Amino acid sequence: MPSNDVRILAQAAVPTAAVGAIAAVVSGVVAGGKGAIGAVVATLVVILFMGLGLYVLQRTAKSLPHLFQAMGLMLYAAQILLLFIFLAAFKNTTLFHPRAFAISLVAGTLVWIAAQTRAHMKAKILYVEPESTGTKPEKSGHSS
């Protein structure tokens, strides 16, 4: 991954992990050990799903730039759908506290999206890559 991509990934993953740690502590106090486990699992799921999505989106931007916007919209819709499927699949689990898991999953997702948006807005990404031919373009104009 180029440095901009890694920087954006870190700027999205770190706040998500921090919110996940806070959610784990709060869930542990409110719902016990299973609540803390649910919050940790939710945080890992968010970082995994959203991180893979960011990777796919960056690869698409480089190889098929004309599909970037459509791919981004489709990717976010697919990620949200997969998170809802994940929630539904573990709704009645006894491995961890389902409510702590669900709340942490939603909170982590919202923080990831906000942090990724902020990182993209602050990034200095070129929209047009400069040519590296080494020749200067000729000036067009009127001679006086």
Side-chain angles (χ1 to χ4, degrees), residues 11-72:
Q11 289 176 350
V14 169
T16 304
V19 166
I22 293 168
V25 170
V26 170
S27 297
V29 169
V30 172
K34 288 194 175 197
I37 292 171
V40 168
V41 169
T43 302
L44 293 175
V45 166
V46 168
I47 291 173
L48 178 69
F49 278 25
M50 296 298 190
L52 286 173
L54 180 62
Y55 176 73
V56 167
L57 196 58
Q58 295 300 334
R59 297 258 326 197
T60 301
K62 285 171 185 45
S63 61
L64 302 166
H66 59 284
L67 294 178
F68 180 70
Q69 187 175 16
M71 185 68 165

Side-chain angles (χ1 to χ4, degrees), residues 120-140:
H120 273 291
M121 291 177 73
K122 293 186 76 164
K124 305 284 190 245
I125 300 172
L126 296 173
Y127 291 100
V128 177
E129 299 212 11
E131 292 184 33
S132 61
T133 59
T135 61
K136 292 184 181 179
E138 293 183 25
K139 291 184 181 178
S140 62

Side-chain angles (χ1 to χ4, degrees), residues 1-15:
M1 275 187 155
S3 64
N4 272 341
D5 300 343
V6 173
R7 192 175 309 119
I8 289 170
L9 179 64
Q11 289 176 350
V14 169

Side-chain angles (χ1 to χ4, degrees), residues 90-115:
F90 287 97
K91 182 172 61 172
N92 296 320
T93 187
T94 58
L95 299 173
F96 48 78
H97 194 271
R99 181 166 283 155
F101 172 76
I103 292 170
S104 300
L105 190 72
V106 170
T109 301
L110 292 175
V111 167
W112 179 283
I113 291 171

